[in-house]
Amino acid sequence: MPPVLVVPAVLGLAFLVVPLIGLLAKAPWSTLPQRLTSPEVLDALELSLVCATLATVLCVLMGVPLAWVLARGDIPGRGFIRALVTVPLVLPPVVGGAALLFALGRRGPVGQVLDDWFGVSLPFTTAGVVVAEAFVAMPFLVISVEGALRAADPRFEEAAATLGASRWYAFRRVTLPSVAPGVVAGTVLCWARALGEFGATITFAGNFPEKTTTMPLAVYLALETDPEAAIVLSVVLLAVSVAVLASLRERWIGG
Amino acid sequence: MPPVLVVPAVLGLAFLVVPLIGLLAKAPWSTLPQRLTSPEVLDALELSLVCATLATVLCVLMGVPLAWVLARGDIPGRGFIRALVTVPLVLPPVVGGAALLFALGRRGPVGQVLDDWFGVSLPFTTAGVVVAEAFVAMPFLVISVEGALRAADPRFEEAAATLGASRWYAFRRVTLPSVAPGVVAGTVLCWARALGEFGATITFAGNFPEKTTTMPLAVYLALETDPEAAIVLSVVLLAVSVAVLASLRERWIGG
Amino acid sequence: STGSGGTPTGSSAPGTGVTGTVTVFAAASLTESFTRIGKDFEAANPGVKVTFNFAGSSALAQQITQGAPVDVFASAAPANMQQVADAVSPTAFARNKLEIAVPQGNPGKVAGLKDFADAGKKIALCAEQVPCGAAAKKVFTAAGITAAPDTLEQDVKAALTKVRLGEVDAALVYRTDVKAAGASVEGIEFPEADKAVNDYPIAALKKAPNAKGAKAFVDYVLSDKGKSVLADAGFAAA
Amino acid sequence: MTLDAHVRTGRGTFEADVPLLVQPGETVALLGPNGAGKTTVLRALAGLLPLRSGHIRLNTTWDEPPSTFVPPERRAVGVVFQDYLLFPHMPVLENVAFGLRARGVNREAARRAARAQLDAVDLTPYADARPRELSGGQAQRVALARALVTHPDLLLLDEPLSALDAGTRPRVRAELGRHLREFPGCAVLVTHDPLDAMVLADRLVVVEGGRITQSGEPAVIARKPATDYVAHLVGLNLLRGQADGTAVALDTGGTLIVAEPAAGPVHAAFPPTAISLHPERPSGSPRNTWEVAVAGMEQHAHTVRLHLDGAPSVVAEVTPAVIAELGLAPGTRVWAALKATEIQTYPRA
Amino acid sequence: MTLDAHVRTGRGTFEADVPLLVQPGETVALLGPNGAGKTTVLRALAGLLPLRSGHIRLNTTWDEPPSTFVPPERRAVGVVFQDYLLFPHMPVLENVAFGLRARGVNREAARRAARAQLDAVDLTPYADARPRELSGGQAQRVALARALVTHPDLLLLDEPLSALDAGTRPRVRAELGRHLREFPGCAVLVTHDPLDAMVLADRLVVVEGGRITQSGEPAVIARKPATDYVAHLVGLNLLRGQADGTAVALDTGGTLIVAEPAAGPVHAAFPPTAISLHPERPSGSPRNTWEVAVAGMEQHAHTVRLHLDGAPSVVAEVTPAVIAELGLAPGTRVWAALKATEIQTYPRA
Ligand SMILES: Nc1ncnc2c1ncn2[C@@H]1O[C@H](COP(=O)(O)OP(=O)(O)OP(=O)(O)O)[C@@H](O)[C@H]1O
Ligand SMILES: Nc1ncnc2c1ncn2[C@@H]1O[C@H](COP(=O)(O)OP(=O)(O)OP(=O)(O)O)[C@@H](O)[C@H]1O
Ligand code: MOO
Ligand SMILES: [Mg+2]
Ligand SMILES: [Mg+2]
């Protein structure tokens, strides 16, 4: 392998890993086991995993079609729509949470409709956590899937069409599998971003233990009172996410 | 276009756009012009754009090679390395900033080396902002570029090799252009994430006007006392990023 | 009417008539003390459950303004309380004052407030927009010092973290924070601190879903039992 | 179910203007040099390239700008692409079954049909392989199977046999021929191989530079090639007859002795160069000798093409020297000789 | 600069075991049915598929497990892939110049050489086109130009002419032949076309099921095909001689009259079926008649192959009926006749 690629790659990896080592070095390893088994930690962890996964499912269901429309559809103002999709990325998450409150809060136009018609109120609920995470994480999915779709050879879709496949059938059976690595990458980004989401969640869904206190919120609170505990919580979050990603990704991609 | 794709795509777009409309509706449009031209806003905006761009350059220089090594290199423990790369995504940004301080701060092992050998101190400097943003944003680049590389046909690289191209030359002239949409997508994600980065920046680089106060920091602090000002700042950030992305992306991708 | 208005969810405590869930929005700096007070309150009122939403005071104020269903709001500053229109007669329940925090061993050799004007020292302050920053501003005005900070932190804990990690030579934080930080941080008191004492107001809310519970919780915080918990955390009595 | 098309379209600066009429059950071969526009026409017929003007009709109107455009998936077409375009992530069997599954056939039935089709192209053992595990020729045969399995109204074949080896090709060609004869739809075949064209197609259309330069039945074109390109390309005698062992009774009269025994209707093909001419009935190896009259002569670069009337009438190619020596002129009667081993036979409908 | 290789490798369950020795300046044609392993061997030689055992040496050792493996970019090879693999994002000219640029030639010089090479394959007008704007045949010619332009020590050509039309093919074949003769390295050519093989290659290697079933000079193999596959594939007479107008003085004695005038060293090729046999010297169109003696006979499915000694010695294919009628047996003397128009000539070194 060429050094001109390997050297920056190693530098890049080091850049990402060294701070993590710093974090691990600061972790209070001796008290770790008992901290880990505390119900608050387990509750927060479970909530985090459940919400991030649900948010990811939501994002995949809406984001992959959106990416496809952006990549293949012949729609006017596509560049603008694509830029709009990128916006929640740029929005500081706390502002994103506030925006969600403005729209979906009890006083927001959509929130009122949801409340009046369906009796659904999203803020300060676990569903609200999912919504906040999905809002922040979806652009990651959309943009990386769209990138993958654009790099894919559209002639396979043409071949599918001549075989009588509707665009939907071709999308499912031909397009999607052929960009599987891109979709997996986008899904991973989305899930990881959802798992680490803090600002929008605490603003839109609040910070109620067992209901909306995900790991990042717990970490934030612990930072206020017990920084060592915050480090422990972060390490747990990291370990779990590394484990999930390392085991799943090879499997998905191998498929 | 099949409704089964268009309907979720439209839903997804609405989900992303409705909160933005909520935000715009709350913006104090009448006072907007005078707020916009205030030197603080312009300083913060300029700093944000400069830092996000520098961070993106750093990420591209290190992240694209890293993505290539992950996608093509035959290295042991690749799944684990890939998961490690994902970690800064999951880390709540404030913790990420703390981890950076542990490693690169005054008392951190790397920070001490930097200080003793080069007289460089990153915290509380603009360089620190760039580092914090790069740390948080790089995984987005790496993972989406790797996804694109995996979806690309490696046989073109084989053809380049038989034509005498070193792996580096083939990478530059063949691989990279063929995954250009994926790289652009990753770069956009990276830039947008860097532009919106708050927690790691304020924790690692602190908050001082003209040096480290980027737009998200200004927004966050404005939220504490003057939510309307915060909304104005957010809207400015959004408008600028939409403009930049909409104009650049079509050009890059068209190229 | 003792116990007669019980809800299906549980029995009522004798004497108070409190039932159900009490939802408390409290400033993040109250996390430890209020968690304890909540446990004590639940013990004193069997069948009652207290749920907390801890976050920055301003975020909480905004959530309440947006219609969050909340019974009690405890803010770290009167300003945030004022943003909440339907707070019922806010009462100060604790006060906090500033202290100089330096890393263990005081490597920057900070002696007093005047060192904050030394550009050669690394200094962290809170941003003016947050309560501890506003307090710091008052203190410096009173002392006639022009501070030369390197960073204006988003909240007091962030400033403290910088001290803890030795990234700065000194910061102005609350006494409670220095106390909570333990051995890694040393506190230096200074006279001008009294010029900027920070009141923590608490209030039940007009639209509280559990009005009785709200009043009972506020009363409990203001009671001696509540005060002693707060005092343990380093708060001064209001 | 007649294909009535006038393909006027283009890609980049290239423009094609090709009228095509294909009767039900008919196979038309599109021939022409590289870059002539053959693939372009096929793409337009498939619906992958909209017309600029003109029309495409088959049962209903498929394309007629600006009003009508039926997308490819709603045209009953089957396409073999020049570079196969097998779906890389699906096993071979799934690739072949795709068209049936897409049209709603249940999994079991689709697989069964796909397996039968794979069998016909000799690839049963590769049912579970991925396309990238196939050799070039194997991939092409899979592509053929995939297009044939849905029995579309219009079959479009872009050089479907070009990667096949000399041993496999006759078998696959015969299978394709059988399929084309049996199926009631229209077929358009692009090929560079004159033998494929002559044997598989009922009619040839020669395209050069996006325009038709000649079209007609293979035998007619072979006899009267309009351009040197065509002459070179379709320089084959193609006769129909009934085989009985090594004797083929020709539909137009006369009998040919061939080397490989066959039975039933066949094509008999041989190059014009295979015919030798003699002043008297020759003795020796040529199994076929018959008297012919010179009907016409055409001078080509270094050779002369003779149109010979007889039973059968054939085209012969000889050197100018022969003309002088045998004193050939229109009307001259000479003996034609043709070796049995020069004749290739292919079963027909 | 001899290529000394023993390719033992495999893909999936397929295994190849092919020893190959190619002298400097020599061209070896690899023939065989689909899936025989031809592409596999080429990939191993190019360094795209490591050997499992055996060796590849050219100047130095390129591959010898487990010790040595030189990666493709450090082997001086040029490859034409079966599916071209043109870089889709580069214009045609850049594609052709790529190999030179990769080896450090400056942009101007590389472009000049690429332009000349494009010229040789008749694609000058397409220099600025993108590969997806090319037709299949055009793409193949670009692939050929791209591989030739670097003048590698080892040229590997995987069916480099399969997509070319009948009109272009002879020109490109002749250009490729000229290139192969001029260049001092080794060349391995995969093809399904016996004529390409016979005309372009000095030696044929027939691979079936990953093993060599026969190898040798074209003429020798044509005379003694080891299997039916080979007989079918290489059933051509190939003679060398000096052309002077339409007369070719053969190196092995005798003269042939051909249709197309030429000058200098040529190959003269014609199928065994083109030879007709006569008890006496025949009169008529065949320009070439000479006396031969039957040296051997082989029964094939429906025909008999005769090895005929004479000037020249040739192989003829006749029906069994001829044997009886002419009373042919080893030693029998008969007259061979061959029409000038049956002979194709190709320039040689
Ligand atoms: N996408 C495109 N953009 C511009 N020009 C194109 C495009 N595709 C093809 N062409 C040009 O159109 C002409 C016709 O191409 P087409 O593929 O139809 O040829 P063809 O007859 O199939 O040739 P071949 O036998 O080599 O496959 C060619 O000159 C080609 O360069
Ligand atoms: N990646 C692979 N994995 C498994 N098997 C493979 C792979 N690639 C090729 N094969 C198999 O190896 C055998 C040889 O393939 P190869 O491509 O060498 O054949 P070929 O002689 O070039 O045939 P063709 O004339 O059709 O191109 C085939 O049976 C093929 O199915
Ligand atoms: O306790 Mo606060 O509201 O984070 O300053
Ligand atoms: Mg074509
Ligand atoms: Mg092959």
Side-chain angles (χ1 to χ4, degrees):
Chain A
M1 285 199 279
V4 68
L5 283 176
V6 170
V7 169
V10 169
L11 275 179
L13 190 61
F15 178 52
L16 292 177
V17 168
V18 163
L20 299 180
I21 294 173
L23 199 67
L24 292 181
K26 292 275 175 176
W29 292 104
S30 55
T31 61
L32 199 126
Q34 80 230 37
R35 286 178 195 264
L36 275 192
T37 47
S38 85
E40 291 84 31
V41 172
L42 295 181
D43 282 346
L45 189 60
E46 190 194 330
L47 190 71
S48 282
L49 293 175
V50 168
C51 289
T53 305
L54 287 177
T56 305
V57 170
L58 207 66
C59 290
V60 168
L61 289 182
M62 299 193 298
V64 171
L66 183 52
W68 183 83
V69 169
L70 284 176
R72 292 279 192 277
D74 203 7
I75 43 175
R78 185 162 52 167
F80 179 70
I81 293 179
R82 190 183 299 116
L84 270 188
V85 168
T86 329
V87 159
L89 282 179
V90 181
L91 212 56
V94 174
V95 178
L100 282 173
L101 271 183
F102 296 155
L104 305 179
R106 281 224 272 201
R107 304 215 181 143
V110 180
Q112 272 172 357
V113 169
L114 285 179
D115 201 0
D116 293 351
W117 293 11
F118 309 102
V120 171
S121 170
L122 290 174
F124 315 113
T125 62
T126 306
V129 176
V130 174
V131 166
E133 291 182 350
F135 177 72
V136 170
M138 196 160 103
F140 294 100
L141 185 94
V142 174
I143 289 170
S144 54
V145 171
E146 197 214 337
L149 282 174
R150 276 173 169 264
D153 189 345
R155 301 200 326 119
F156 289 107
E157 291 177 34
E158 291 185 356
T162 66
L163 287 164
S166 66
R167 293 192 86 164
W168 163 237
Y169 191 78
F171 173 79
R172 271 195 307 134
R173 293 281 320 270
V174 175
T175 316
L176 211 50
S178 79
V179 296
V183 174
V184 170
T187 307
V188 165
L189 287 179
C190 181
W191 187 76
R193 183 69 188 86
L195 199 63
E197 160 50 32
F198 163 73
T201 308
I202 199 168
T203 308
F204 182 61
N207 177 25
F208 292 94
E210 287 173 58
K211 249 169 78 187
T212 66
T213 303
T214 56
M215 286 295 275
L217 272 58
V219 168
Y220 175 82
L221 278 190
L223 264 182
E224 299 276 323
T225 53
D226 181 358
E228 290 203 332
I231 294 177
V232 170
L233 288 174
S234 304
V235 169
V236 170
L237 191 60
L238 296 189
V240 170
S241 63
V242 166
V244 169
L245 295 176
S247 67
L248 282 187
R249 276 202 85 195
E250 287 293 308
R251 202 171 305 162
W252 292 343
I253 290 177
Chain B
M1 287 200 279
V4 67
L5 284 176
V6 170
V7 169
V10 169
L11 275 179
L13 189 62
F15 178 52
L16 293 176
V17 169
V18 163
L20 299 179
I21 294 174
L23 199 66
L24 292 181
K26 291 274 174 177
W29 292 104
S30 56
T31 61
L32 200 127
Q34 79 231 36
R35 286 178 195 264
L36 275 192
T37 48
S38 85
E40 292 85 31
V41 172
L42 295 181
D43 283 345
L45 189 61
E46 189 193 331
L47 190 71
S48 281
L49 293 175
V50 167
C51 289
T53 305
L54 287 177
T56 304
V57 169
L58 207 67
C59 289
V60 168
L61 289 182
M62 300 194 297
V64 171
L66 183 54
W68 183 83
V69 168
L70 284 176
R72 292 280 192 276
D74 202 7
I75 44 175
R78 185 163 50 167
F80 180 71
I81 294 179
R82 189 181 300 117
L84 271 187
V85 168
T86 329
V87 158
L89 282 179
V90 181
L91 213 55
V94 174
V95 178
L100 281 172
L101 280 179
F102 295 154
L104 305 178
R106 271 221 284 206
R107 299 209 185 151
V110 181
Q112 274 173 357
V113 170
L114 285 179
D115 201 0
D116 294 351
W117 294 11
F118 308 102
V120 172
S121 170
L122 291 174
F124 314 120
T125 64
T126 305
V129 176
V130 174
V131 166
E133 291 182 351
F135 177 73
V136 170
M138 195 160 103
F140 294 98
L141 185 93
V142 174
I143 288 171
S144 55
V145 172
E146 199 216 334
L149 283 174
R150 276 173 171 265
D153 190 344
R155 301 199 328 120
F156 290 107
E157 290 176 35
E158 290 185 356
T162 66
L163 287 164
S166 66
R167 293 192 86 163
W168 164 235
Y169 190 80
F171 173 79
R172 269 195 307 133
R173 295 281 319 272
V174 176
T175 316
L176 213 50
S178 79
V179 296
V183 174
V184 170
T187 307
V188 165
L189 288 179
C190 180
W191 186 76
R193 182 69 187 86
L195 199 63
E197 161 49 32
F198 163 72
T201 308
I202 198 163
T203 306
F204 181 62
N207 170 42
F208 200 81
E210 289 174 58
K211 253 169 76 185
T212 62
T213 302
T214 56
M215 286 294 275
L217 273 56
V219 169
Y220 183 85
L221 290 172
L223 261 183
E224 297 283 325
T225 50
D226 183 359
E228 291 203 334
I231 293 175
V232 170
L233 288 174
S234 303
V235 169
V236 170
L237 190 61
L238 296 190
V240 170
S241 63
V242 167
V244 169
L245 293 177
S247 68
L248 282 187
R249 278 201 83 196
E250 286 295 308
R251 203 171 304 164
W252 292 342
I253 289 177
Chain C
S1 66
T2 314
S4 61
T7 66
T9 51
S11 58
S12 59
T16 61
V18 179
T19 52
T21 299
V22 182
T23 305
V24 179
F25 280 31
S29 50
L30 296 169
T31 306
E32 279 178 322
S33 34
F34 266 44
T35 304
R36 253 199 67 196
I37 288 174
K39 292 229 171 71
D40 295 347
F41 180 72
E42 283 175 355
N45 299 280
V48 175
K49 184 163 168 35
V50 182
T51 22
F52 286 109
N53 179 24
F54 293 113
S57 303
S58 62
L60 294 173
Q62 188 167 25
Q63 289 173 353
I64 295 167
T65 313
Q66 288 297 327
V70 53
D71 297 310
V72 177
F73 178 34
S75 162
N80 299 122
M81 187 59 83
Q82 280 153 26
Q83 289 170 11
V84 179
D86 57 355
V88 182
S89 56
T91 318
F93 66 95
R95 43 180 36 184
N96 220 340
K97 64 177 183 179
L98 295 179
E99 204 170 288
I100 297 171
V102 298
Q104 192 178 26
N106 196 0
K109 309 209 171 9
V110 174
L113 206 56
K114 63 177 186 315
D115 286 319
F116 279 72
D118 180 356
K121 291 193 168 41
K122 289 261 186 254
I123 301 296
L125 295 177
C126 292
E128 278 179 26
Q129 291 92 334
V130 297
C132 64
K137 191 179 174 194
K138 277 190 218 157
V139 165
F140 285 119
T141 311
I145 292 172
T146 309
D150 291 276
T151 175
L152 304 170
E153 294 294 316
Q154 83 267 31
D155 60 40
V156 63
K157 291 295 174 184
L160 189 69
T161 301
K162 298 280 196 296
V163 177
R164 233 183 238 275
L165 295 175
E167 289 299 329
V168 294
D169 298 316
L172 271 192
V173 301
Y174 290 117
R175 239 172 64 188
T176 51
D177 301 315
V178 175
K179 187 153 199 249
S184 61
V185 172
E186 293 174 12
I188 302 171
E189 300 202 20
F190 58 96
E192 293 87 350
D194 293 333
K195 302 288 186 211
V197 174
N198 196 30
D199 283 328
Y200 280 58
I202 189 168
L205 288 150
K206 220 175 279 167
K207 292 185 190 147
N210 185 351
K212 267 189 195 162
K215 182 164 184 324
F217 186 81
V218 171
D219 289 347
Y220 190 88
V221 170
L222 294 172
S223 74
D224 289 344
K225 286 181 200 147
K227 279 181 179 151
S228 81
V229 172
L230 290 163
D232 283 350
F235 289 101
Chain D
M1 213 164 57
T2 303
L3 171 71
D4 168 14
H6 189 162
V7 175
R8 302 176 76 142
T9 185
R11 299 204 278 177
T13 54
F14 175 81
E15 298 222 346
D17 182 345
V18 175
L20 265 185
L21 204 72
V22 186
Q23 299 303 328
E26 194 187 21
T27 300
V28 165
L30 230 50
L31 294 102
N34 292 136
K38 308 180 294 295
T39 299
T40 304
V41 170
L42 254 46
R43 286 179 62 85
L45 294 177
L48 298 173
L49 189 69
L51 293 187
R52 289 183 185 162
S53 61
H55 62 263
I56 300 172
R57 296 191 198 105
L58 197 151
N59 295 335
T60 59
T61 298
W62 281 1
D63 195 351
E64 185 155 5
S67 57
T68 312
F69 180 78
V70 176
E73 65 270 23
R74 288 198 276 119
R75 304 185 184 190
V77 295
V79 187
V80 173
F81 292 90
Q82 204 165 359
D83 44 1
Y84 329 146
L85 292 181
L86 300 181
F87 304 127
H89 55 280
M90 279 181 210
V92 163
L93 189 68
E94 292 302 313
N95 260 283
V96 178
F98 187 91
L100 294 171
R101 298 281 294 135
R103 289 184 167 84
V105 176
N106 76 51
R107 181 185 305 259
E108 267 325 296
R111 292 224 172 134
R112 229 178 0 256
R115 219 172 268 282
Q117 196 68 51
L118 267 187
D119 215 40
V121 295
D122 277 337
L123 283 180
T124 318
Y126 292 89
D128 298 324
R130 305 253 150 194
R132 75 178 53 181
E133 296 166 18
L134 298 179
S135 76
Q138 291 163 345
Q140 193 169 51
R141 276 138 69 193
V142 174
L144 191 58
R146 184 174 70 170
L148 294 180
V149 79
T150 56
H151 298 272
D153 291 347
L154 175 61
L155 248 181
L156 304 170
L157 309 163
D158 203 345
E159 306 197 27
L161 307 174
S162 64
L164 303 192
D165 70 87
T168 311
R169 195 168 177 135
R171 271 210 312 286
V172 177
R173 187 199 286 128
E175 165 64 22
L176 178 58
R178 202 177 50 70
H179 194 99
L180 289 175
R181 279 190 310 276
E182 279 171 8
F183 111 117
C186 311
V188 181
L189 165 80
V190 169
T191 177
H192 288 136
D193 183 326
L195 195 54
D196 288 347
M198 312 273 290
V199 169
L200 294 174
D202 303 298
R203 201 149 48 79
L204 308 188
V205 171
V206 182
V207 179
E208 292 178 69
R211 296 275 179 299
I212 294 182
T213 51
Q214 191 171 13
S215 78
E217 281 195 29
V220 175
I221 291 205
R223 221 152 290 149
K224 291 200 182 308
T227 68
D228 268 9
Y229 170 78
V230 178
H232 192 97
L233 199 68
V234 295
L236 269 187
N237 287 292
L238 191 77
L239 304 171
R240 287 152 189 251
Q242 296 288 329
D244 179 13
T246 56
V248 177
L250 300 173
D251 294 0
T252 53
T255 301
L256 287 180
I257 303 300
V258 299
E260 283 191 35
V266 291
H267 275 123
F270 49 90
T273 54
I275 302 276
S276 56
L277 298 176
H278 305 268
E280 285 136 38
R281 178 168 214 143
S283 61
S285 65
R287 297 293 82 197
N288 302 293
T289 52
W290 72 103
E291 209 176 4
V292 294
V294 175
M297 313 203 311
E298 283 160 29
Q299 177 71 47
H300 288 269
H302 305 294
T303 59
V304 179
R305 265 185 174 244
L306 299 171
H307 298 266
L308 304 171
D309 280 347
S313 295
V314 294
V315 175
E317 194 168 312
V318 298
T319 49
V322 172
I323 308 292
E325 191 180 306
L326 299 186
L328 296 182
T332 315
R333 300 192 69 86
V334 287
W335 285 83
L338 173 63
K339 288 184 62 193
T341 51
E342 291 264 30
I343 306 171
Q344 295 193 271
T345 55
Y346 299 90
R348 192 158 62 82
Chain E
M1 212 163 56
T2 304
L3 171 71
D4 169 12
H6 189 160
V7 174
R8 301 176 75 142
T9 186
R11 298 204 277 177
T13 54
F14 176 80
E15 299 220 347
D17 183 346
V18 174
L20 265 184
L21 204 73
V22 186
Q23 300 301 329
E26 195 187 21
T27 300
V28 166
L30 230 49
L31 295 101
N34 291 136
K38 307 179 295 294
T39 299
T40 304
V41 169
L42 253 47
R43 286 180 63 85
L45 293 176
L48 299 173
L49 188 69
L51 294 188
R52 289 183 184 162
S53 62
H55 62 264
I56 299 171
R57 296 191 198 103
L58 197 152
N59 295 334
T60 60
T61 298
W62 280 1
D63 195 352
E64 186 157 2
S67 57
T68 314
F69 180 78
V70 175
E73 65 270 22
R74 289 198 278 118
R75 304 185 182 190
V77 296
V79 187
V80 174
F81 292 90
Q82 203 165 1
D83 44 1
Y84 330 145
L85 292 180
L86 300 181
F87 304 128
H89 55 279
M90 280 182 208
V92 163
L93 188 70
E94 293 301 313
N95 260 284
V96 178
F98 186 91
L100 295 170
R101 298 282 295 135
R103 290 183 167 86
V105 176
N106 75 49
R107 181 185 305 260
E108 268 325 297
R111 291 224 174 134
R112 231 179 358 258
R115 221 172 267 281
Q117 196 68 52
L118 266 187
D119 215 40
V121 295
D122 278 335
L123 284 180
T124 318
Y126 292 91
D128 297 324
R130 305 254 150 190
R132 74 179 52 182
E133 295 168 18
L134 298 179
S135 76
Q138 291 163 345
Q140 192 168 53
R141 275 138 70 192
V142 174
L144 191 58
R146 185 175 70 170
L148 294 179
V149 79
T150 57
H151 297 273
D153 292 347
L154 176 61
L155 249 182
L156 303 170
L157 310 164
D158 204 345
E159 306 198 26
L161 307 174
S162 64
L164 302 192
D165 70 88
T168 311
R169 195 167 179 136
R171 275 211 310 287
V172 176
R173 186 199 284 130
E175 166 63 22
L176 178 59
R178 201 177 52 68
H179 194 100
L180 288 176
R181 280 189 309 276
E182 279 171 9
F183 112 117
C186 311
V188 180
L189 165 79
V190 169
T191 176
H192 287 136
D193 183 326
L195 195 56
D196 289 347
M198 312 274 290
V199 169
L200 294 172
D202 303 298
R203 203 150 47 80
L204 308 188
V205 171
V206 182
V207 179
E208 292 178 68
R211 297 273 180 298
I212 294 182
T213 50
Q214 190 170 14
S215 78
E217 282 194 30
V220 175
I221 292 205
R223 223 152 290 148
K224 290 200 183 306
T227 66
D228 268 9
Y229 171 79
V230 179
H232 191 98
L233 200 67
V234 296
L236 268 187
N237 286 291
L238 192 78
L239 304 171
R240 287 150 189 254
Q242 297 288 329
D244 181 11
T246 56
V248 178
L250 299 174
D251 295 1
T252 53
T255 300
L256 286 180
I257 304 299
V258 299
E260 285 192 34
V266 291
H267 274 123
F270 49 89
T273 53
I275 301 275
S276 56
L277 298 178
H278 305 266
E280 283 137 41
R281 179 168 215 141
S283 61
S285 66
R287 297 294 80 200
N288 302 291
T289 52
W290 71 105
E291 211 178 3
V292 293
V294 176
M297 314 203 308
E298 283 160 28
Q299 177 72 48
H300 287 268
H302 305 294
T303 59
V304 178
R305 267 185 172 244
L306 298 171
H307 299 267
L308 304 170
D309 279 349
S313 294
V314 293
V315 175
E317 197 169 310
V318 296
T319 48
V322 173
I323 308 293
E325 191 179 305
L326 298 187
L328 296 182
T332 315
R333 301 190 72 83
V334 286
W335 285 84
L338 174 62
K339 289 183 62 191
T341 51
E342 291 265 32
I343 306 172
Q344 294 195 272
T345 55
Y346 298 90
R348 208 157 46 92

